[in-house]
Each structure stands twice: as C-alpha cells, then as structure tokens.
Amino acid sequence: MLRYAPPWPLQLVFTPALLSQQQRVFALLLRLRRAKWSLETVSVGAGAAGGRCAGSTPLTRLWWTLRSELLHAVHHILAYVTLAVIAAEWRSLLDGLPALSSVDAFAAACARLYERIASRCFLEPQHEAEMRAVDAILALALRLRAQLSDDLAALPAVAHAAAARRWRAELRRSVQLLMRTLRQQPEGRPLSEALDFNSHYGGSEEEA
C-alpha cells in the first residue's frame, strides 16, 4: 500500500481519513484498468496477436463472445467512475471554490467530495450488493484471460461449452444486479442504460 505524508499545511486538508478514501477510490480504478487491459490484450487461437481471435470455430466464437460482453461491461463501469463520478464531482468542487472563505471550509468541501465519490463508486457499506457485483465482474475478467491464455484444446469442446455458458450466466447475474440498483438512482441510470445495450440484459437468461 502506498503511503503519503502531506507537508504543512496540506495535512490540514489531506487528513488520514481523506487519504484513506482516496486510496480506496484509486484502488478501484486500478482494478478496473487492469481488467480492461486483460480483456483488450488477450488472444484466442494459435498465432493470434494480442487482442485478436485467430480463426473462427464454434469454440473460439463462444469464448470471444463472452470476452466482448465482459469488455463492454468493464469499459462502461470504468467510464462511469472516471467521467460521471470523479470528473463531475471535481468540477462541482471547482465551481464552489469562490464561496469558500477559509481553510476549514475548503477541508470540509474536500471531505464531502471524497465521501460522495466513494458512495457513488459503491465503496460505502450501503452499496455492498453493488460492490459484490462489480467484484464478480472484475474477477471474471481475470479468470477469462487466464482461460483464453491457456490451450483451449486442453479440454473437450463439451466441457468448454458448459464452462462458457456458466460464466456467461454469472456475468449476466452480476450485471443485472448492478442495473437494478442503478435504475433506482437518477445519477446511475446512464450507466444502467449503457450496460443494457440493445436490451441485452433486459430479458430472461434463455433469451440472451
């Protein structure tokens, strides 16, 4: 874990509590970027370069479809965190700076900033269900990279098909859970709509 001891007078604003919140937010960003990189650079099939699928067989198409669906989810969650939450909240803080008349007022505004960011990024206890869904999506991305990096022919095609269907159902459950909670929040509806491209997650699992 990285540690930072702010010099005087920055410690009046960057308190241990604020730095702890900041650490949690950036840890989430790092996990999202790692998952996105893992999916973007993985290859399927002998001779395929990073981020490509060599050949077109039922087996490679099965896994590559799951990879595309996972990458879509991770990409939009990352965009939501960076643009809709962090950038938007930072602009809000900058807009309110002229009204702050003291260091204490600025410190309080910074504390509120990171409290809002942490809450909207599902890092507070009341958003435990949403965070579990995000955790499941990110873990699945890393598992999928490991699966695709190995020799796909090591398992029978029937076993691969069953595993891909199981993993796809896991992704579907996690995304639908996240969407249900986001739809209850005005600020979260754009992410819910982005995740549900072409109503992909709106129907039953059999319709997918």
Side-chain angles (χ1 to χ4, degrees):
M1 177 182 294
L2 295 177
R3 298 190 182 277
Y4 172 66
W8 172 266
L10 292 181
Q11 66 262 42
L12 297 176
V13 175
F14 295 98
T15 63
L18 188 144
L19 290 175
S20 176
Q21 290 277 45
Q22 191 179 64
Q23 183 93 347
R24 295 166 65 207
V25 172
F26 279 92
L28 174 61
L29 276 175
L30 180 61
R31 294 177 62 212
L32 286 165
R33 290 187 179 278
R34 182 191 180 201
K36 188 169 185 284
W37 170 86
S38 296
L39 294 170
E40 287 178 335
T41 58
V42 73
S43 59
V44 177
R52 295 184 179 275
C53 179
S56 180
T57 68
L59 184 58
T60 56
R61 287 197 298 271
L62 196 64
W63 287 111
W64 203 247
T65 298
L66 176 58
R67 175 258 186 195
S68 299
E69 292 176 352
L70 256 173
L71 183 56
H72 176 89
V74 172
H75 168 80
H76 282 288
I77 295 171
L78 176 60
Y80 165 78
V81 169
T82 55
L83 301 177
V85 178
I86 296 177
E89 292 291 351
W90 179 251
R91 285 195 300 269
S92 178
L93 175 68
L94 294 180
D95 291 342
L97 284 181
L100 303 178
S101 57
S102 67
V103 173
D104 288 342
F106 178 63
C110 289
R112 289 192 299 270
L113 166 75
Y114 273 96
E115 287 173 1
R116 289 195 302 270
I117 289 176
S119 178
R120 294 182 61 192
C121 289
F122 322 120
L123 295 172
E124 295 299 332
Q126 65 267 29
H127 299 297
E128 182 180 358
E130 297 98 304
M131 195 68 248
R132 281 201 308 269
V134 173
D135 286 341
I137 293 170
L138 298 183
L140 186 57
L142 300 182
R143 283 163 49 200
L144 182 61
R145 179 182 176 85
Q147 175 80 350
L148 297 182
S149 299
D150 293 336
D151 184 7
L152 287 179
L155 290 176
V158 173
H160 274 295
R165 283 195 297 269
R166 186 170 62 251
W167 290 17
R168 196 178 183 200
E170 183 180 335
L171 171 63
R172 185 178 184 82
R173 286 193 298 270
S174 298
V175 172
Q176 286 181 328
L177 171 60
L178 190 56
M179 286 171 50
R180 279 197 299 271
T181 57
L182 289 170
R183 284 171 176 164
Q184 301 171 10
Q185 311 162 18
E187 295 173 330
R189 287 173 188 162
L191 174 57
S192 176
E193 294 170 358
L195 290 172
D196 195 22
F197 64 102
N198 293 331
S199 299
H200 182 71
Y201 293 103
S204 64
E205 188 168 319
E206 291 74 16
E207 294 172 351

